[in-house]
Structures are given as C-alpha cells and as structure tokens.
Amino acid sequence: MDNSLPPADELVLVDRELAQLDARRSQLLARRAWLIQVLYPPVSAAAPLRPRPPVADSTPRSAQNVLLMLGGTLLTIAAVAFTLVSWGSMGIGGRATVLAVVTGAALAAPVALLRRGLASTAESVAALGLVLTVLDAYALHRVALAETDGPGYAAVASAVLAGAWAAYGSALSRLRTPLPAAVVAAQLPLPLGVLAAGGGTTAFAWAALLTATADAAVALWPRPVSVRITAGAAATALGGWALLTGGWLSLVTPWSGAPLLLAGAAVTLYAAWRVPAFAAAASAVAGLAVLAASGGLLRAALPPDWAVPGYVLCALALTSTWRLGGAQPVRPEPEPAPAGAALGPVAPAGEAGPADVRPGAVGAGSGSAGARSVPAAPVGAGGFGARVPRGIRTGLAGAGAGVVALGVVWALPPVVAGLLGPVVRTTGVWSGEHAARPLASFPATALLVLAAAVAALAALPRLWARCGALALAWALLTALPVSLGLPYAATLALQLLTSAAALWLAVRPGPLSRGLRPATAPAGRADAPGTDARDPHAAPREAAGPAVSGASAPTTAGPPVPGAGTSWPAWAPSRPRAQAPAAEPAAVLGWTAYVVGLASAGSAVALALDVRGATFAALGVVLALLTGVAVLGTDARRVVSAVGAVLAATGLVFAVAAAGGFEDRWTALALLLVPAATAALGSGAPRPVALAVEVAGGSVGLLALGIAASRPAFLALTLALGGVIAAATAVRPERRRFASWTAAVLFLLATWVRLAVWDVTAPEAYTLPVSVPALVVGYLRRRRDPEASSWTAYGPGLAVTLLPSLPAAWVDPEWARPLALGVAALGVTLLGARFRLQALLVLGGAVLALDGLHELAPYVVQVVGALPRWLPPALAGLLLLAVGATYEQRLRDARRLRERLGRMR
C-alpha cells in the first residue's frame, strides 16, 4: 500500500482521529441520556398505602379566628350599649372608673397574650381596646365637652386617636390591627377641621388632597403591607375625589381649580415615579389633571369657540412628552471566542459545571476576539429624556392622545354633514335650488382641531398614524365647505378635487409610505435544539461546542456537561420559522385613500344633482377617475373601480335621456349602449376586471328590460338587441358557452314577445321553420362529434317549438292542439329514452307532463269535488306513510334516476 505519510506519522494521525471519534460518541451518549431523562422522568417508587385521616371541615386556626372574631364583636356591642344606654345611671366617678379600667385592661392585655404566643387572641382584645378608645372620646364629649363644636372636636379626637393608635401599634409591632386603624383615623382631621372652620368646596378639596399626599407618603414608606395597602386605598379615594373636584372647579372657576389640579398632578407623578407597576395609570391621571388645569385657564381667556382647540393644543403638547425617551448609550460587551474545532475545550474538574453554562449561548472566555454594543443604563447626566421611565411617558402621551381623540370626535359633525348632507335631498333634481347649509352655528374652529390632529399624526413614522392622518385630512377637506360656508360651485369643485387626489394616492401611495419601514412579521420562536432565534442582542452562534472560561484548557476533548444550556453544534438541523403574513404599508394606505376617495365621489355626484350641467360634469369626472384607477390600479381596487365606472356611465346615459326628454322605451334602448360597451371592453381587459365589467353591464341590461317591459314591442326589440350583444360576446372562447345560451334565450324570448304583440294564435307556423333547420344542424353536429351534448345539438331547436306551443295549448279551448302537442312531446320523449339523449327526454317529458296535467285538470277537480271532504286528507296521510315506509328505497331510486340522466349526452 503506497502512503504519502510515513507509517509513524500516519499512526499518530489515525490515533488522533479515533480519539476524536470516541470523544464525539461520548458527547452524543451524554446528550442522549439527558434528553431521555427530560422526556421520560423516572417514576418514584409508590409510597406504602396508609389510611388517610378524615378531612376536617375547618382547620383549628380558622375555627380559632372565628371564635375570637365573634367574641370581640359581642364585647364591642356590649361596650357600645353600655356607653349609649347605661351611661346616665352612674355617677361621674363611676363613669371615669369604668372607662379607665376597661380601656386600660383591653389595651394592656395583648402584651401578656403576645408573651404567651396567643397572637390571635391578642389581636381580638387589641381591636376591642381600639373601639373602647373611640367610645371614651365620645363619652368625654358628651359629659365634659358638650359645648364644644362637634366637627372640630371630632377632628381633634381623630388626630389624637390616630397618633395614639400609631404609637400603640409601633410598640406592639406583632399586632396587625392598630397601624391600619391609625391610617384610617388619620383621614379625618383635615377634612373635619375644614368643615368646622366653615371652608368651602375648594378648601375641602385641598384638605382631601393634603391628606391623600400624606397617605401616598405612608404607602411609599417601607411599612407593613397592611399599612401600605390601607394608605394606598385611602390616597386613591381622597386624591381621586380632590381631582374630580378640581376638574369641576376648572369649569366653574378655573383660577381656583388649576392650582388644585396641578398640585394633585405633581403628587400623582411622584407616586408614578416611585411605583413603576402603576406608572402608566397614575401618569395618565396626572396628565388629565394637567390638561384640565391648562385647558381651563385657556378657556377662561379665549372666546367660547376656541375652548376645544385650546384643550387639544394642550393635549398635543403633553403628547410630545413621549419623545423625551431618546436613544440610550451603549457599552461594549465581550463576545465569546470562536472555537477552533468541532469540540470546544472542556473545563477541568472543579472549574466549570452546569451552572456555568448559559442557556442558548456558547460560553465566553477571557480571550474574546471582539466586543459588541448593547444598551446600557444611563449614568450621570444622561439627559432628562433618558431618565423619564417608559411607563410615565406612556401614561402622559396616552392622556394627551385621549383628549385629542375626544377633540376629533367633537369636530366630526361638519364632516358628516358635508358627506351625507347632499344625499338627504330636500330639493328636486335639477331644480337649481340648493338645500340650506347644515350646522350653520357649529364653530368653525373644528377645522383647526382636525388640522392639528393631522399634523400630529403625520409626524409619527407609523402606519396607523399615516392612515389616521390621511383619513383626518380627507375629513378636513370634507368639513371645509360646511364650516366656512363655501358657495355651491366651490363646494362641488372641492369635493371633486378631494376625490381625485384620494384616488390618485390610492394608485400611487408612494409619497404616503415614505419614511415607513417595510412590514415584517415576528418570527415564530424555536425551542428545538439547534434553533437559531436570531436575537439581535444575543451572542453569535458558533460552530463549536461550549467553551469554558479560563486562561488555559486541556487539549483532550470530552463530552460536555448535558443540560438545558448545552448548545448543539453547527451541523444540527434548524427548525424553519414560520413567518406570519403582514400587510404592506403602501397597500394599507392605498386602500384607505381609495375608500375616502369613493366616499367623496359619491357625495359629489349627489350634490351635483341640483344643477343639470353640474350633473354631467360630476359624472364625467367620476367616470374618468374610476377608469384611470381601473387601468392603473392593482388588486381588487381595479375591479371595484371598473364596476364604479360602469355605474357612472349608466348615470350619464340616464342624464342624457332625461335632458333629451326621452320616453321610457327610448331610454331602455339607450341603456343597451352600456352592456355593448362592456362586452367590447371585456375582450381586452384582464380576467377579473373583464368578468366584473361584464356582470355590471349585464345588470344594466336587465334594468333596460325592466324599463321596456311596459311596451311589448320595444321589449321584443330590446331582447333582440340584447341577444345580438350576447352573440357577439360568444365569439370569445372563454365566454362562448354562457354567452351562446344567453343569446339563444334572448332571441327566443324576443320571438315569443313579438308573436304575442302580433296576436299570433298559431305560433307553430313561425317556430317550425326555425326548429326543423336547427334540428338538422344539430343532427349533423352529433354525427361529426358524437360526444357533443344533446342540449347543444337539439335543445334550441326543440325549445323553439315546444315551449311556445305549450302556453298556446293551455289557452286553446279545442282539443286538437293539446293532442298534437302531447303526441309530439311523447315522440320526443321516446326518442330521448331510446337514444339516451338527455335534452329530448327532459324537454319532451316536461312538456308531456304539463300538457297532460292541463287536460286532466277539469276531471280531477270534478272528482275531488265529488269525494267526501275527509278523503283527500286521508289519502294524503296514506301517501306520506307509504313514502316514509319506503323512504330509503325512494332515495335510492332518485339517485339512480339522477345517475342515469347524468350519463346521458
């Protein structure tokens, strides 16, 4: 064997490869063992069966609490009854002695109880002592201080009780009742003091706000949870009431309510800064308070029409606080060092373990090759914007956006009036008179609100903001004639220009989507081994196994420690991530512009009906615009625009007919120009557009038939012209089947109507000369193409004769015509059954059945009249029973009949 390496070197190489294979096998075995342990955890040995103790209805602790609560409640009731009822039967000495002894004992007993470990009993007795202190204060006022003002005494007493209870609870820190009770008592001094001093609503609200501020300080202080919850609830209640009062004062006396609202907003913002969990909600309340204060001051200084714009401008200024959060500085972070082999170095014993491996990462060593930038927290003077928490900015911006949205809603009535006002007509068409301007007294400053909202949304590089800005810009142009009282011609021109601009943006939405990032969908998270999440802040994925930190590592390879953080090598297959579909900004903006453009076009056409010339101008402009969108547009907008163009052309035909004084029959003939044009245009249009255009043209043709129905002669002419249009459409291969049948039906109907107009009583003289050649042509077609359908070959020829003859036979009092028709139909039916031709069998059988029914109907009526009245229901019941009993058989027969008919040609 000829080797390029010496035997000794080759032996070293083979040993090295075998060692690497053994290391790789050890790694895979360790990984397999860990995966099996994760997927199939070992089942612990079943514990020996022991009799389960009976479940008690209540635990000893809960039963103890119930008993203590009931006992404390009964003692409290007894103390209240003694103080209110039995107080007058004792002297002053006895009263003082009883109160002092009972209250002191109730407050001192918890000390001994806590030493013995009876915490629940101590809680109940302490609660009783707190209630007794309230009764002591009441008794002191009734006996010694009866002349003192009630609210003032209550304010002082509540302050004293709050301090005493706070001291008592601080001394006995194991008791949970005194400190929350002290917080509750502390809510009364300031409001009751203001009430005793005869303060008004403003002073009372200030007292409530100061108390709420103190409660917020207590809630933010590191106190027991019960104290913080009680203080937080009290601060929310009193602060909310103070802010609501300030909002009401800002509407009545702005200079009194503004300081109160601003002070409340400052306290709320501080609380939001200290409690990040409630930062968004609290800062939103603070933002609303600031807006109410500033807007109230502006409302007092500005005319009434400028009140809402003042609030909106203040709200926009508050919304700009969102921009205070700028880009954060970055700091370098070392990247993991790439491994040089398929297996990374393994840490020696005692240096690394499972806790040293981070999930989804490859360990980083001291010899990192580079650094990557990650966001770092701002330090030092990082700028005010970087120090404002995201929750506060969200709340403030949300409050401003909510007020702006309310302002936009206030400004919408002129938009609705400008859009729907022309639709609700109060004058005649082409009368030259114009309806009165709606909402004449609505403030014109609504335009300023809409313009400010458009400017604010246009500045945001977000898709929803661009859509909102586009819609509000359209609303501004729609409301402009109503708010400014523009004349009729200017209003119509503005609506047409608005429609033209919107439809152009619908076709070319590039300027609207400028600055927007392409829509991307979030990738699905991959949890399988080997999946790369592509986190932009994650370390790059390496092709080697996990590296271990350290200055040096042994060169021998070994299996990594298995665990959740062990990463797979680069050869491990990755699970594909599914991408959710996302809408493109240009498409969304295009559809938004298209919808508002169509709305303006419809309103302009309705407004143009006041004047004849304006009607022609508006319909012509709308027809040109929709035709342009149908030609230049994309997706479903082309189809909708094509249908709209057909409707606009129909409106023009009606307008021309009305202007020329056409009668209905001539108008019907003129309307046929629309389906003729759509049939011609459909041959060169794309398939979806062509189908929509032809369906719309066919609908206009049906309208023409309805208009011409009052004059049968013109109805026949309209049917014939419609047949010509359908026959011309049948030249196209993709429309041949449907259009040819439509043409045949229309020609046949035209023939029948014409015969009826001529009072023809023998239609066979006119139908047979047509049927015979048609049947001959069908026979020749079948000979040349045996697979041709019998409906195509023989259907038209048979229908031309049989169908007109059937109504004539029904109205013929003689017997010859029905007999001849029945014989002919019987012959056709037998031929269809013999040669298995579906058209002959169906047409002949149907005509034969109807003809026979007509002939037998008088005799059936006579027989039914001679039978007893109970017999027809009985026969019907028997028939139903028979059909029900053989229902499955009848279904099988019906399916068999359908299959046989389906197999016929």
Side-chain angles (χ1 to χ4, degrees), residues 816-829:
R817 185 190 300 275
L819 178 60
L821 180 61
V823 170
L826 178 60
V828 171
T829 304

Side-chain angles (χ1 to χ4, degrees), residues 92 159 184 511 741 767:
I92 186 64
V184 174
W741 278 101
T767 58

Side-chain angles (χ1 to χ4, degrees), residues 303-638:
D305 291 350
W306 288 84
V308 176
Y311 280 103
V312 170
L313 293 177
C314 294
L316 289 176
L318 183 64
T319 307
S320 63
T321 56
W322 176 258
R323 296 183 176 272
L324 293 178
Q328 295 183 354
V330 296
R331 59 182 174 84
E333 179 178 314
E335 290 185 350
L343 294 174
V346 179
E351 290 188 14
D356 297 326
V357 183
R358 293 184 292 118
V362 289
S366 59
S368 59
R372 61 187 176 94
S373 297
V374 296
V379 292
F384 177 75
R387 294 197 301 269
V388 178
R390 181 183 180 88
I392 293 180
R393 291 187 288 114
T394 301
L396 294 176
V403 173
V404 173
L406 291 177
V408 170
V409 172
W410 171 81
L412 286 182
V415 181
V416 177
L419 180 65
L420 301 180
V423 179
V424 184
R425 303 198 57 81
T426 58
T427 59
V429 176
W430 291 359
S431 62
E433 299 177 356
H434 309 299
R437 185 168 67 92
L439 300 177
S441 60
F442 200 86
T445 52
L447 300 176
L448 179 60
V449 173
L450 293 174
V454 169
L457 290 176
L460 295 177
R462 295 292 185 272
L463 177 59
W464 61 267
R466 294 289 174 86
C467 292
L470 177 60
L472 290 181
W474 167 81
L476 174 63
L477 294 176
T478 305
L480 194 63
V482 177
S483 298
L484 299 183
L486 298 181
Y488 175 80
T491 302
L492 181 60
L494 181 60
Q495 287 191 349
L496 290 176
L497 289 176
T498 302
S499 178
L503 293 178
W504 171 253
L505 291 176
V507 176
R508 297 290 183 266
L512 295 177
S513 59
R514 188 173 302 159
L516 296 179
R517 291 176 295 180
T520 56
R525 182 178 178 179
D527 297 328
T531 301
D532 186 6
R534 299 296 179 192
D535 186 2
H537 300 294
R541 186 188 180 102
E542 299 297 337
V548 182
S549 61
S552 62
T555 57
T556 59
V561 179
T566 306
S567 61
W568 282 93
W571 56 264
S574 299
R575 185 170 61 186
R577 297 170 297 160
Q579 294 285 344
E584 289 295 332
V588 177
L589 291 169
W591 272 106
T592 304
Y594 185 69
V595 171
V596 299
L598 287 183
S600 292
S603 179
V605 171
L607 181 63
L609 294 178
D610 290 349
V611 181
R612 177 182 300 181
T615 302
F616 284 100
L619 286 173
V621 171
V622 170
L623 176 60
L625 291 175
L626 294 178
T627 303
V629 176
V631 173
L632 302 176
T634 57
D635 55 50
R637 281 168 283 183
R638 301 185 66 183

Side-chain angles (χ1 to χ4, degrees), residues 31 52 123 180 288 324 354 384 398 460 500 537 603 708 712 754 776 818:
R31 185 71 180 188
R52 298 180 60 182
E123 287 285 353
L288 292 176
L324 293 178
F384 177 75
L460 295 177
H537 300 294
S603 179
R754 176 56 61 184
V776 171

Side-chain angles (χ1 to χ4, degrees), residues 754-776:
R754 176 56 61 184
L755 293 178
V757 171
W758 289 341
D759 294 330
V760 175
T761 58
E764 294 81 5
Y766 299 92
T767 58
L768 284 176
V770 178
S771 295
V772 173
L775 292 175
V776 171

